[in-house]
Amino acid sequence: MIVVSFINIINPPFSMDPMLAKHLTYAFGHIFANCTIYMAVIAVYEILSNYTGRPWKTNKVFLIAWNCSTIFTLMIYTHHLLMDFAVPKWMLIIGQVFSYANGLPVMVVTAYGALMIVYHSAIKWDFASSMMFLAMFGWVAGAVPTIIDATIVINHIMHNTKWVPGHFHTYMGMGVVAMIFGFMYYFNKTEGTQKEKSLDKLAIVTYFIFFTGLTGSFLYAGKISAPRRWAEHLPEWTASDQVGALCGIFIIAAALVFTIRFIVGLKKIGSNTTDKSLKSAS
């Protein structure tokens, strides 16, 4: 679609059907976002199993759920097009029905599995294990407003409001990104000599409290019909904007702590590797 757009700039008579272009855009964006989640959750399966000493068992129910989720993910991008009258009705029905079904593997299989693998395991909670477990909360919590928005009668009212960035930031910020930060710490801990500090615990608490505030401000703004993608907001909408901006400052501060600690840990890994090489050479 991008290539066709460039050709259209050079040769305007050569164009693409606008509806096809919109479908391709949303299909790519929705599938790409879900792929990041499905790749990141691998770290949850592996790391929580290591901490608890319990294997994350794969059975027929687990495999069937994940295969269904993979198939549904390719189909349900049309829940972003429920407001388009020109989209065939059968596609919109698929978008609603399978959006509901797609949430089940997340809530029933993965979230329940995380609870069961931790239950009575005497797990040692540190940065990595805490981030992985809390990430499951972010993922599941983000799926709830997603399913609500995928309901056609609700979507017609809510989809062009800030309700959508509210659900998206919940499962991406407190889900995927939390999984990535947790894996970063786990990597430094296992490969290097990084030790957990009180600052790390404070950063985790800050990150999740204020990310909940940020996403809450988005969802509340959707409730009062504040539109997304507007350059300016009416006075009655600005209070939620200000709360979100304040929360964003603390989120950035916590993320900086995570990132700086990771970079420092990488340097230690590099120095340890150099020392080992020199000893072996001598």
Side-chain angles (χ1 to χ4, degrees):
M1 195 195 76
I2 294 174
V3 171
V4 172
S5 298
F6 280 124
I7 296 174
N8 175 255
I9 293 172
I10 300 170
N11 183 26
F14 186 89
S15 62
M16 177 184 286
D17 178 81
M19 184 61 71
L20 174 60
K22 187 170 186 178
H23 275 255
L24 290 173
T25 301
Y26 278 96
F28 167 78
H30 191 271
I31 294 169
F32 186 81
N34 278 271
C35 282
T36 61
I37 301 172
Y38 294 169
M39 295 298 102
V41 79
I42 296 171
V44 178
Y45 294 151
E46 293 294 327
I47 292 174
L48 284 183
S49 293
N50 286 340
Y51 272 85
T52 60
R54 297 174 177 175
W56 197 301
K57 296 180 180 178
T58 55
N59 50 38
K60 288 183 179 180
V61 174
F62 180 90
L63 296 174
I64 290 171
W66 266 111
N67 278 286
C68 287
S69 183
T70 301
I71 295 170
F72 296 164
T73 298
L74 302 175
M75 302 162 54
I76 63 175
Y77 75 90
T78 50
H79 67 211
H80 289 285
L81 305 174
L82 296 177
M83 300 181 74
D84 289 359
F85 65 89
V87 176
K89 188 175 181 180
W90 65 267
M91 295 188 74
L92 303 183
I93 293 173
I94 285 177
Q96 175 171 323
V97 172
F98 286 98
S99 292
Y100 280 42
N102 194 52
L104 294 177
V106 176
M107 295 184 182
V108 177
V109 178
T110 301
Y112 180 77
L115 288 172
M116 289 301 99
I117 203 170
V118 168
Y119 183 68
H120 281 186
S121 66
I123 184 174
K124 183 179 185 245
W125 293 105
D126 64 4
F127 187 102
S129 58
S130 299
M131 289 295 277
M132 292 301 174
F133 195 73
L134 288 169
M136 299 309 302
F137 159 75
W139 191 11
V140 173
V144 174
T146 305
I147 293 173
I148 293 172
D149 185 58
T151 306
I152 292 176
V153 293
I154 297 176
N155 186 279
H156 284 173
I157 300 171
M158 304 290 285
H159 196 71
N160 278 344
T161 71
K162 290 175 72 175
W163 181 270
V164 172
H167 85 69
F168 182 80
H169 281 76
T170 303
Y171 67 71
M172 292 300 286
M174 291 196 288
V176 178
V177 176
M179 294 176 195
I180 294 171
F181 280 135
F183 176 76
M184 287 162 57
Y185 183 91
Y186 181 78
F187 176 79
N188 272 347
K189 177 184 174 183
T190 55
E191 298 296 322
T193 59
Q194 184 171 342
K195 302 295 182 183
E196 185 171 337
K197 297 181 179 180
S198 298
L199 180 62
D200 296 323
K201 295 179 181 178
L202 177 62
I204 292 176
V205 173
T206 301
Y207 185 83
F208 275 91
I209 287 177
F210 285 97
F211 224 119
T212 301
L214 173 67
T215 56
S217 72
F218 282 145
L219 294 172
Y220 176 77
K223 175 184 176 296
I224 61 175
S225 298
R228 56 189 176 125
R229 305 193 186 103
W230 279 29
E232 296 182 11
H233 279 180
L234 297 176
E236 54 265 34
W237 296 335
T238 56
S240 62
D241 297 340
Q242 292 167 350
V243 170
L246 178 64
C247 291
I249 293 172
F250 286 93
I251 293 168
I252 291 171
L256 283 173
V257 172
F258 299 156
T259 306
I260 292 171
R261 293 274 289 138
F262 175 67
I263 293 172
V264 171
L266 285 180
K267 289 183 178 179
K268 290 181 179 178
I269 292 174
S271 62
N272 289 341
T273 304
T274 303
D275 292 340
K276 291 178 181 177
S277 300
L278 291 174
K279 289 179 180 178
S280 61
S282 61

